[in-house]
Amino acid sequence: MSITNQQIAGHAFLRQMYDDSYFPDHVVDQGKAILLRLCERVEAEQPSDLESLYVLTQAATEEFNLLDREFVAAGSGIETVAREWICDEFCFVASAYGFTDADAEELASGRDW
C-alpha cells in the first residue's frame, strides 16, 4: 500500500538518526519501515478516536522495543536523544492524520527504550 497523506509522503523519517553515525543506517532503515507501516495501518484502518490510534501506535512501539536489540547488536541503542526523536515521529504521524491532541506519552506507551 502506498501512503496517500502528502505530509507523510514528503517526510524524511528519522533524519536525525541518519545524520548521526552512532546509529547504523541499516538499523535506522528498519525503524523508518516501522513508522511507514504505522502510517499504512492508520490509512487502512482510519481510527476514529485517540484510543484506536493508540492501539496502532502501541503495536509500532512494540516493534521498536524489538528493534532496540538490533541497535545494541550493532553497537548502538535507543538512548535518550533517539528516544525523543522517535517519539517526535509518533507525534508527527498523529498530527498529520488529524490527531493533534494526541498525548506523546500515550503514543509510545509500553516502550522499554
Side-chain angles (χ1 to χ4, degrees):
M1 172 180 182
S2 64
I3 303 296
T4 61
N5 181 301
Q6 293 307 303
Q7 280 183 285
I8 297 293
H11 184 67
F13 282 106
L14 302 176
R15 179 187 48 78
Q16 301 98 324
M17 292 179 79
Y18 282 112
D19 291 345
D20 188 329
S21 62
Y22 176 71
F23 305 103
D25 285 354
H26 73 280
V27 184
V28 178
D29 288 344
Q30 293 176 55
K32 178 181 175 181
I34 292 168
L35 292 164
L36 290 171
R37 279 194 301 275
L38 169 61
C39 295
E40 289 173 348
R41 287 193 67 192
V42 170
E43 290 191 13
E45 298 180 27
Q46 299 182 353
S48 59
D49 57 23
L50 282 173
E51 291 306 314
S52 299
L53 175 68
Y54 294 151
V55 169
L56 300 180
T57 61
Q58 180 58 42
T61 299
E62 292 296 326
E63 288 187 71
F64 271 105
N65 287 345
L66 296 174
L67 185 61
D68 188 40
R69 297 177 192 158
E70 298 293 322
F71 277 110
V72 170
S76 182
I78 300 177
E79 38 58 56
T80 307
V81 68
R83 185 177 312 128
E84 294 301 317
W85 291 335
I86 294 166
C87 288
D88 287 349
E89 296 292 17
F90 275 58
C91 290
F92 171 77
V93 169
S95 179
Y97 288 106
F99 294 96
T100 56
D101 56 343
D103 181 271
E105 290 299 316
E106 282 296 317
L107 288 169
S109 69
R111 71 176 185 253
D112 58 15
W113 32 270

